[in-house]
Amino acid sequence: MNMKKTTLAMALLAGLAMGVSGQASASVYAGSSLDISNLTIGFVNASSGALITNLNPQFTFNVEDSATLNSNTQAFAAGCSSLVGNCGTSPGPVLTVNAANAPGSTVVRANSNYSLMGQYTGTFANSNVEITTAQLVNGIPSHARQVAEAEVLGKGQAQASANIQSNTTWTFTFDITETANMALSFIANPEMKADVSLVPPYTAGIAQTNITTNFTLNRLSGGAGASPFVSWSPNGVNGDAICVNVLGCAEVDSESLNETLGVGPLSSTLTHSLGTPGSAFSLNIAGLKAGRYALTLAGTTSVNVTQVPEPGTLLLIGGALAALGVGGARRRAGAMAA
């Protein structure tokens, strides 16, 4: 009888092992990337239309990236400013950090690689970010790139999670001595995918990917009357920028740069702007009163993935191992009695 139990337990373990070995196709994946290029900002006299150049600008740039896999994290951060004079110039990037690759990842992102690696690549978490050019530094249109990506493949893991984030922030302050109009324009290319593809014994997975982009203009000091304030988070809908104490705003939102995609716990997939070219965006503000202003542009890409096995599978494995242990103990006791 004990031999039958042992044989059954070994057969159960063999069957479970075969199932685990076939889990390479079980994937929970999330990726998001954002490329903003040809970003220009200009000011003109509201009455004459003449270009305003005596803005006395100052600026600060910050970037950071991080990646976590099963509680193991790698992260980098850097900053530069006009005050310190430590921003890079051509041909190198204005500001960058090393790619963050979570310890234990089976796939490594190289520095300055901002492409999505794609699904069924491995179990990994990585991100990277840089400000490639800046109008105030290089005298050419600004360009920023960032990416966050993670995947958990089955391969018998009980649970895995990844949390990634990359941030880009650049703020510059400037003086306006006359009523002015501001024009901001750029090309943006967001790409996002969240996917849960399950095979037994994995029966639940969660994948989430996010992109946020925001532009904020506010007067810090000087000037008369109430302070102007503008906040714009492009979401693919024209006419919803928040504009206070200015003559007017007009924006072009070609697509959303503020998206959250979430799928799970069952197999499913969602994408946003994946594999498509960039789109044109613009914001025009009329009637900025004299004063000292701050313009902040901030972007974030982040992902989170989790895969969990079927609880019954763990119980079956435990029962099979217990049966093998009991059978072995009884055989050893019988041999000693003999």
Side-chain angles (χ1 to χ4, degrees):
M1 183 66 177
N2 291 336
M3 180 62 70
K4 290 183 179 180
K5 289 183 178 179
T6 302
T7 302
L8 178 60
M10 293 181 65
L12 178 58
L13 280 175
L16 289 170
M18 290 179 63
V20 169
S21 67
Q23 289 168 17
S25 60
S27 167
V28 179
Y29 169 87
S32 62
S33 67
L34 178 63
D35 187 301
I36 293 180
S37 61
N38 294 318
L39 191 154
T40 61
I41 303 169
F43 297 86
V44 298
N45 183 291
S47 299
S48 67
L51 184 66
I52 299 174
T53 57
N54 59 333
L55 295 171
N56 187 31
Q58 297 177 357
F59 53 86
T60 300
F61 303 139
N62 294 285
V63 297
E64 61 182 69
D65 59 15
S66 64
T68 301
L69 182 63
N70 295 326
S71 301
N72 298 309
T73 300
Q74 185 176 68
F76 300 98
C80 70
S81 69
S82 56
L83 181 63
V84 179
N86 59 335
C87 294
T89 57
S90 297
V94 169
L95 184 64
T96 188
V97 289
N98 290 332
N101 289 279
S105 295
T106 61
V107 178
V108 175
R109 178 176 296 278
N111 292 337
S112 301
N113 177 5
Y114 298 97
S115 300
L116 293 177
M117 298 177 176
Q119 199 169 2
Y120 298 107
T121 304
T123 294
F124 67 93
N126 59 50
S127 63
N128 204 7
V129 59
E130 76 172 28
I131 298 175
T132 311
T133 60
Q135 182 179 350
L136 295 174
V137 176
N138 308 105
I140 57 178
S142 300
H143 183 194
R145 301 183 292 174
Q146 57 196 85
V147 62
E149 192 172 19
E151 182 175 30
V152 173
L153 294 177
K155 296 185 179 177
Q157 296 182 40
Q159 183 175 357
S161 63
N163 301 281
I164 325 268
Q165 182 165 294
S166 59
N167 294 305
T168 307
T169 304
W170 61 106
T171 300
F172 72 90
T173 56
F174 53 91
D175 295 314
I176 295 178
T177 59
E178 56 213 288
T179 301
N181 298 336
M182 188 194 91
L184 181 153
S185 64
F186 59 93
I187 303 294
N189 185 16
E191 295 198 61
M192 305 173 68
K193 181 179 180 180
D195 183 278
V196 174
S197 297
L198 301 170
V199 297
Y202 290 89
T203 58
I206 300 293
Q208 181 173 304
T209 176
N210 307 280
I211 285 180
T212 63
T213 309
N214 178 260
F215 300 82
T216 303
L217 176 71
N218 64 292
R219 191 171 67 182
L220 301 175
S221 62
S227 294
F229 173 82
V230 176
S231 180
W232 180 39
S233 299
N235 62 359
V237 179
N238 294 330
D240 61 354
I242 299 172
C243 301
V244 180
N245 297 323
V246 296
L247 292 181
C249 288
E251 79 267 23
V252 174
D253 285 18
S254 299
E255 60 180 313
S256 179
L257 302 182
N258 290 273
E259 276 299 313
T260 295
L261 304 181
V263 296
L266 302 180
S267 294
S268 55
T269 185
L270 287 174
T271 63
H272 171 67
S273 195
L274 190 65
T276 63
S279 303
F281 294 78
S282 64
L283 173 66
N284 292 280
I285 305 171
L288 290 174
K289 302 171 185 176
R292 185 154 185 80
Y293 285 80
L295 176 65
T296 300
L297 301 89
T300 299
T301 56
S302 63
V303 299
N304 187 293
V305 298
T306 302
Q307 185 161 232
V308 182
E310 181 180 6
T313 302
L314 299 180
L315 293 176
L316 286 173
I317 293 175
L321 291 173
L324 283 175
V326 171
R330 288 181 175 174
R331 283 195 301 273
R332 287 192 296 273
M336 291 176 64

